[in-house]
């Protein structure tokens, strides 16, 4: 499996299994199937509310000799309601207990947004101003988890260039990873270039267009990425499926990619895309798709517009 080397020397498998929206019973089977097929990287999060079942799948795979813990890379994420520095370890330990692990390989701050402790959002009154809990204070508490051996690497998610700059300036530390939405409708070239220049690894989430998001998170008439004409035509030319093409494109850009599936056939299909080499024509065709669309946004947390604390959330 191709790996990406992070700025702390850690090698992360460039392809992994996403688990957001995966129902509990299905994710347990999906993780077991994926690890059997050859996946070595699972992307989890406290807020997905299925870490226990993800952990059960991992535990069984390790127990039955399918994979060793050292060959498996597990990512998880600190939820917004654990941003107070004194709550960070609690959030991490809840994840570790659910997963049944002593450590995670990579721990990310899920969003640069703080909620009141004990709340899941999305209610306007759940938001805590960044002046009260700056994300740099949260990140410093996450770095302490490395010292305690609870996490091997630390990083962030959903950080824009300006938020990354602020984080680096305030903590003096360059995060190992920024996990963001990336696909041909939202290629974020500027963010990618900045991360490359700073030595920040980038993970592409929702690489297939996140078609199974709850209806409440969808805008009417949103463009389904997997049905895009160019994606379908180029996939046919390359002799692979549209999903495989999107995965190969993400890996070709040097990003880590974590497509979600709970379907055994699609789990295997996605895995085999990780070894596909993209032609120059495929690369340029996907690079030049001229549609801009972001599927995942914090709109539903009343960060609408999308402005947050006086500036655009994504700038
Ligand atoms: N950090 C963050 O804030 C954040 C936000 C969003 C996502 N993520 C992470 O990124 C992962 C992936 O993103 P996502 O779940 O939003 O969406 P995604 O991976 O872009 O798309 C998932 C959808 O694609 C379908 N699918 C999977 N393989 C397919 C194939 N070969 N052909 C056709 N359809 C296929 C899945 O259905 P089946 O399951 O039925 O196959 C599901 O409906 C998440 O699960 C999560 O781990 C992180």
């Amino acid at each position: 499996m191709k790996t990406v080397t992070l700025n702390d020397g850690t090698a992360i498998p460039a392809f992994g299994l996403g688990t957001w929206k995966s129902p509990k019973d299905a994710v347990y089977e999906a993780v077991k199937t994926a690890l059997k097929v050859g996946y070595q990287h699972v992307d989890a999060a406290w807020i997905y509310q299925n870490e226990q079942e993800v952990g059960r799948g991992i535990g069984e795979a390790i127990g039955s000799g399918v994979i060793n813990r050292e060959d498996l890379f597990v990512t998880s994420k600190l939820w917004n309601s654990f941003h107070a520095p004194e709550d960070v370890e609690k959030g991490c330990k809840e994840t570790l207990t659910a997963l049944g692990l002593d450590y995670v390989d990579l721990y990310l701050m899920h969003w640069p947004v703080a909620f009141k402790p004990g709340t899941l959002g999305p209610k306007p009154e759940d938001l805590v101003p960044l002046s009260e809990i700056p994300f740099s204070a949260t990140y410093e508490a996450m770095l302490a988890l490395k010292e305690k051996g609870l996490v091997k690497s630390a990083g962030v998610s959903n950080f824009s260039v300006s938020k990354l700059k602020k984080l680096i300036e305030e903590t003096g530390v360059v995060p190992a990873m920024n996990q963001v939405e990336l696909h041909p409708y939202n290629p974020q070239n500027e963010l990618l270039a900045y991360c490359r220049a700073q030595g920040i690894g980038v993970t592409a989430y929702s690489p297939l267009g996140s078609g199974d998001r709850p209806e409440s998170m969808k805008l009417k008439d949103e463009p389904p990425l997997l049905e895009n004409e160019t994606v379908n035509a180029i996939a046919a030319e390359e002799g692979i499926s549209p999903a495989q093409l999107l995965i190969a494109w993400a890996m070709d850009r040097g990003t880590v990619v974590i497509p979600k599936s709970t379907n055994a056939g699609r789990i295997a299909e996605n895995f085999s895309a990780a070894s596909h080499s993209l032609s120059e024509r495929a690369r340029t065709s996907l690079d030049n798709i001229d549609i801009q669309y972001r599927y995942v946004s914090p709109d539903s947390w009343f960060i609408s517009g999308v402005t947050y604390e006086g500036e655009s959330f994504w700038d």
Side-chain angles (χ1 to χ4, degrees):
M1 172 56 65
K2 187 182 160 193
T3 58
V4 169
T5 304
L6 303 180
N7 60 22
D8 59 6
T10 303
I12 175 170
F15 174 84
L17 180 73
T19 60
W20 177 37
K21 310 171 264 66
S22 300
K24 293 182 184 207
D25 52 341
V27 82
Y28 157 69
E29 290 297 341
V31 168
K32 281 206 306 181
T33 303
L35 297 180
K36 239 184 239 162
V37 166
Y39 286 56
Q40 290 179 274
H41 175 185
V42 178
D43 183 79
W46 185 94
I47 193 61
Y48 301 164
Q49 300 183 4
N50 58 9
E51 284 194 312
Q52 200 166 345
E53 291 71 22
V54 169
R56 198 151 65 87
I58 290 174
E60 278 191 28
I62 292 175
S64 58
V66 166
I67 193 163
N68 296 319
R69 176 66 186 94
E70 309 76 64
D71 298 325
L72 174 65
F73 195 99
V74 180
T75 301
S76 187
K77 312 180 195 91
L78 179 82
W79 185 238
N80 306 347
S81 54
F82 295 102
H83 272 221
E86 63 275 18
D87 291 339
V88 166
E89 186 170 329
K90 181 171 184 274
C92 179
K93 282 190 167 162
E94 286 190 15
T95 276
L96 291 175
T97 303
L99 289 170
L101 298 176
D102 301 330
Y103 68 89
V104 285
D105 297 273
L106 177 62
Y107 198 48
L108 306 176
M109 188 187 314
H110 207 144
W111 288 88
V113 174
F115 288 170
K116 283 186 186 148
T119 63
L120 295 175
K123 285 195 230 104
E125 59 271 26
D126 290 348
L127 285 173
V128 178
L130 286 178
S131 53
E132 267 176 47
I133 310 179
F135 48 68
S136 47
T138 306
Y139 195 67
E140 272 160 1
M142 288 173 65
L143 292 173
L145 303 175
K146 274 177 66 165
E147 305 304 316
K148 294 192 173 175
L150 301 178
V151 320
K152 298 282 185 203
S153 298
V156 295
S157 176
N158 296 300
F159 268 56
S160 61
V161 170
S162 84
K163 289 189 176 70
L164 285 170
K165 283 184 178 164
K166 197 166 181 203
L167 182 75
I168 295 168
E169 195 184 291
E170 289 180 1
T171 62
V173 178
V174 179
M177 175 63 73
N178 187 21
Q179 184 181 121
V180 292
E181 178 175 337
L182 287 182
H183 45 71
Y185 286 176
N186 192 31
Q188 306 211 60
N189 294 328
E190 208 181 299
L191 176 65
L192 198 55
Y194 174 80
C195 289
R196 270 201 196 116
Q198 292 294 322
I200 303 169
V202 179
T203 298
Y205 77 58
S206 304
L208 311 180
S210 199
D212 58 344
R213 272 151 46 254
E215 287 306 313
S216 59
M217 287 184 69
K218 291 185 180 177
L219 290 185
K220 239 176 56 191
D221 303 330
E222 70 173 29
L225 183 59
L226 284 168
E227 288 171 26
N228 176 275
E229 256 178 46
T230 306
V231 170
N232 279 268
I234 299 292
E237 276 182 34
E238 297 267 312
I240 55 178
S241 72
Q244 288 177 315
L245 178 65
L246 292 165
I247 292 164
W249 178 81
M251 290 181 71
D252 184 70
R253 298 176 95 205
T255 60
V256 175
V257 64
I258 47 170
K260 170 264 172 189
S261 182
T262 50
N263 173 283
R266 289 190 284 276
I267 287 172
E269 175 187 326
N270 295 347
F271 182 73
S272 58
S275 47
H276 182 85
S277 318
L278 214 59
S279 68
E280 182 58 35
R281 179 173 149 72
R283 180 177 304 125
T284 4
S285 304
L286 264 67
D287 284 351
N288 289 322
I289 289 179
D290 198 14
I291 295 174
Q292 174 60 43
Y293 196 80
R294 189 189 286 277
Y295 292 99
V296 177
S297 115
D299 267 340
S300 52
W301 304 332
F302 302 89
I303 301 173
S304 56
V306 175
T307 31
Y308 181 50
E309 310 241 324
E311 59 178 57
S312 162
F313 189 84
W314 300 112
D315 286 344

